[in-house]
Amino acid sequence: MLTEQSLAAMSAVEMVAGFADRTLSPIDVHDAVQSVIEARESVLNAFWVRDPDESRKAAQASEARWAAGEPLGPIDGVPVTLKENVARRGVPMSSGNAGAEPVVPEADAPITARVLESGGVVLGSTVMPDWGMLSSGVSSRHGITRSPWNSGWTTGGSSSGAGAAAAGGYGPLHVGTDIGGSIRLPGTWLGLATLKPSYGRIPLDAPYQGRCAGPLTRTVADAALLMRVLSQPDPRDWSSLPPQDIDWSALDVEVRGLRVGVQVDAGCGEPADAETVAAVRRAAELFEAAGVVVEPVEPFMTRDLLHDLDLFWRVRSWNDFRALTPEARQRVLPYIVQWCQEGADVPGTKVLQCYQQIMRIQEQTVAATLPYDLVLSPTAPVAAFPADQPMPFMGNGKTMHHIGFTAPYNMSGQPAATVNCGFTTDGRPIGVQISGRRFDDLGVLRAAAWYERNRPAGAVPHWPDSVPGAQVGERTT
């Protein structure tokens, strides 16, 4: 008989199969997940809004539909979490910031609508750091979100709560957003399977340069299942791609004959450490042994490109910050205040130059990767850092020195996935980033699924049953 923990840890694909043949109950799955949440949430701190009574009602409705043979969609009855910046009608959105007054949306975002239309059981809204501009789980409103692998380690961000929920066993499906790495960074630091899809693949209600939403899951098949739901069209997103009939379940393909680039130097930011580079190279060797043509990819980002992208974001956040009252400004995370103040009084000519640099990032990323079906790289240059640290590198001018591998694909609109490919000597996960040509989301997921099936045993995550490690607030790395 399945224990509550093993029931909660099942994949979404397994859950749906069990619901269909009546060997699993959506209510039992929901209750098992809630038991895990109750046991771990005081440490992990993944949720902003959660209503177990309402989500149980949704599970009961799903069970009735399955009994009648009338499921709403491919994830009917499966527990799902949504990042707090994904609008849910009537649910406050704080953007992780104690200084900003939470916005209460009057309508569901396209993502929320698609999940509900498919019968997904929404457990709640997961947390994020201030304005989503930190790659950690540190928030002036929510406090610190912590890794299920070790409470002293970061989750990454800005999809910090989604990542903690996925790795912590809060059900199988979790939605995050990503403008420079905010899905993939929790992916690498928590051992997850993730996808930042092509720009416009998942309709948003607030599209912005480089912003995407996507899945954070434990398996590639679950990420693909969630993409089947989230990629459905919605006319509210004027930047979304035309509807496309993609068979997201068609993952079981071979990689022989593909041309794959391997990039271990981002050309900007801090260099990748030796353990990270070695893990990515081992992944590349596995592809090569399967008949893939593997070639090195030279850096295509520069320090100046990264600096101007960072400055563009600082100006944007400074505009948000200066709109706050003096009293509200005092509640914003000091690190964010210091960071965005560098965007004050930047001349319009310089802002335009920064925007033109983003266009250059787009051009150079596409040009450098176009010869390849896929490019393998580190997701981040280092493994998980202390949970109470806002960013991996805290020195002056190093704020974004960890996104040299991830941010280019946001700007170019290319899909990029992560899969765990190893661990450091002290047990921290390492994820390989697998990027592809524009619009080839399925090709990227197929490669990720192939690697997931064939990776060595030492690269397979064995999810923690509890939250081990440091006491809250203690640094362990």
Side-chain angles (χ1 to χ4, degrees):
M1 183 175 178
L2 289 170
T3 64
E4 284 188 331
Q5 189 166 316
S6 59
L7 190 57
M10 292 181 72
S11 72
V13 172
E14 291 170 329
M15 287 180 184
V16 171
F19 299 156
D21 66 16
R22 306 293 289 152
T23 59
L24 285 181
S25 155
I27 298 173
D28 290 346
V29 166
H30 172 271
D31 291 351
V33 170
Q34 292 295 346
S35 293
V36 172
I37 295 171
E38 291 292 338
R40 299 182 179 181
E41 180 60 7
S42 63
V43 175
L44 297 188
N45 187 30
F47 277 108
W48 156 237
V49 173
R50 172 176 162 243
D51 189 338
D53 292 335
E54 284 300 310
S55 56
R56 195 172 200 274
K57 290 177 184 177
Q60 290 170 334
S62 172
E63 183 147 321
R65 291 191 294 270
W66 280 109
E70 298 176 347
L72 284 178
I75 60 169
D76 201 329
V78 179
V80 183
T81 72
L82 304 175
K83 190 175 176 181
E84 69 167 291
N85 62 345
V86 176
R88 299 168 59 208
R89 184 169 61 87
V91 176
M93 302 165 65
S94 73
S95 296
N97 194 313
E101 187 68 24
V103 174
V104 181
E106 297 181 356
D108 288 330
I111 289 167
T112 306
R114 298 298 87 76
V115 168
L116 295 176
E117 290 165 3
S118 294
V121 175
V122 176
L123 302 177
S125 300
T126 53
V127 300
M128 60 189 284
D130 292 52
W131 287 319
M133 295 311 299
L134 293 175
S135 299
S136 70
V138 178
S139 162
S140 61
R141 182 173 288 274
H142 307 306
I144 299 173
T145 303
R146 297 178 180 276
S147 170
W149 292 95
N150 185 310
S151 63
W153 298 346
T154 190
T155 56
S158 64
S159 301
S160 51
Y170 292 11
L173 301 180
H174 308 271
V175 178
T177 62
D178 187 320
I179 200 171
S182 291
I183 289 172
R184 290 157 291 160
L185 294 170
T188 190
W189 292 325
L190 293 167
L192 301 172
T194 74
L195 176 68
K196 180 211 77 67
S198 295
Y199 183 77
R201 178 70 68 200
I202 294 175
L204 306 175
D205 58 351
Y208 190 84
Q209 177 75 45
R211 178 182 289 144
C212 296
L216 294 92
T217 59
R218 290 182 171 188
T219 70
V220 176
D222 276 1
L225 177 64
L226 190 51
M227 284 299 299
R228 179 180 169 188
V229 173
L230 301 182
S231 62
Q232 295 301 308
D234 194 296
R236 288 176 288 176
D237 186 348
W238 58 90
S239 69
S240 60
L241 297 174
Q244 187 175 352
D245 186 15
I246 297 174
D247 184 359
W248 295 102
S249 65
L251 299 177
D252 191 9
V253 298
E254 292 303 311
V255 295
R256 178 177 297 277
L258 294 180
R259 189 178 181 190
V260 174
V262 179
Q263 181 191 14
V264 295
D265 179 1
C268 59
E270 297 301 299
D273 65 29
E275 286 187 294
T276 298
V277 170
V280 171
R281 289 199 185 281
R282 287 193 296 270
E285 289 166 1
L286 191 65
F287 277 90
E288 189 169 32
V292 167
V293 177
V294 173
E295 301 174 5
V297 175
E298 296 301 314
F300 49 85
M301 283 284 286
T302 66
R303 181 182 61 183
D304 289 344
L305 289 173
L306 183 62
H307 174 272
D308 285 355
L309 175 62
D310 181 23
L311 183 58
F312 186 82
W313 287 339
R314 290 180 194 240
V315 172
R316 185 188 67 163
S317 291
W318 172 254
N319 281 335
D320 293 334
F321 179 76
R322 71 175 185 171
L324 301 176
T325 66
E327 189 276 332
R329 293 176 187 177
Q330 298 298 314
R331 299 195 298 270
V332 179
L333 196 74
Y335 184 91
I336 286 289
V337 175
Q338 182 180 9
W339 171 75
C340 74
Q341 281 177 336
E342 296 294 323
D345 303 321
V346 175
T349 52
K350 179 60 180 177
V351 176
L352 180 59
Q353 177 185 318
C354 292
Y355 183 76
Q356 290 169 330
Q357 289 281 71
I358 292 173
M359 301 301 105
R360 189 164 289 116
I361 293 172
Q362 293 176 331
E363 176 188 2
Q364 294 185 189
T365 304
V366 171
T369 60
L370 192 58
Y372 307 102
D373 298 293
L374 305 164
V375 173
L376 308 184
S377 72
T379 309
V382 293
F385 51 96
D388 59 356
Q389 189 170 303
M391 285 291 205
F393 307 112
M394 296 293 290
N396 287 338
K398 294 187 176 184
T399 308
M400 299 295 173
H401 275 212
H402 58 291
I403 64 169
F405 292 108
T406 53
Y409 299 109
N410 290 84
M411 301 306 112
S412 70
Q414 294 170 247
T418 67
V419 187
N420 199 66
C421 67
F423 294 87
T424 62
T425 53
D426 60 356
R428 290 172 292 160
I430 301 171
V432 60
Q433 178 175 249
I434 304 174
S435 62
R437 294 192 177 105
R438 296 178 69 211
F439 316 129
D440 190 20
D441 304 67
L442 183 59
V444 166
L445 283 177
R446 283 173 168 171
W450 180 90
Y451 177 74
E452 183 183 60
R453 290 193 305 271
N454 291 280
R455 64 187 169 184
V460 177
H462 297 283
W463 304 102
D465 294 334
S466 59
V467 186
Q471 296 297 312
V472 171
E474 179 183 343
R475 294 192 175 194
T476 60
T477 57

